[in-house]
Amino acid sequence: MGSKNKLRRFKENETFANVVQPSREEVMNDSLKLKGNWRKKFFKNENPLVLELGCGKGEYSVNLSKAYPEVNFLGIDIKGARFWRGAKTALEEDLNNVGFLRTQIELVDELFEENEVDEIWITFPDPQIKYKRTKHRLTNSEFLDKYRKILKPGGFVHLKTDSEFMHGYTLGLLHGLGEKIEYAHHDVYGSDGAPAAVTNIQTYYEQQYLEVGKKITYIRFKFR
């Protein structure tokens, strides 16, 4: 994507009512007025709040919002030029239960109050395979602690990925921590009883993976 196109998308994001772009200082100073009030002040309702971390172009958040109109979905990514597409589609299709937040995912526990979030989706994250990149894996122990803090008791975390490494790493970590794994399969499309939200919604790249026979893995878990 050319720099001019990126700048145009950044500017357009600033005009979108469904996009929030706080500064890091605003987040760390605890001055974001939406914290603890995402339902009331952003979505204007009291419906459940679900996050998608690393939402990319926003395809999953948008399609989840269509499938579950009684739920609020918030896609989070630092790359605003990517989720521009999802935000624009949501506005064009008058989808009022989906929004986008431009920020670093490591700040997630500063953006939401304790127990404010009902569920978290992590869809096709970078597996960060090299050992020195462990701290960037979205299911490492530090990130899990952040999710535990903002999730309601019993709230689910969903991990959908094409990476067998990420799948195995996360399963091993969860087993070691004694967390409650509700569902896990290394080939979600080849398993019985897979959740509809997993198999009925596919991103552009996921469709490409499936066309070449690549397996898609899925884990659903909750904290003790």
Side-chain angles (χ1 to χ4, degrees), residues 52-64:
E52 184 195 1
L53 306 181
C55 66
K57 294 182 179 180
E59 298 165 275
Y60 224 89
S61 289
V62 167
N63 283 296
L64 282 171

Side-chain angles (χ1 to χ4, degrees), residues 123-134:
T123 51
F124 301 96
D126 187 331
Q128 308 286 1
I129 293 175
K130 292 183 179 179
Y131 178 75
K132 65 181 181 179
R133 301 290 296 176
T134 301

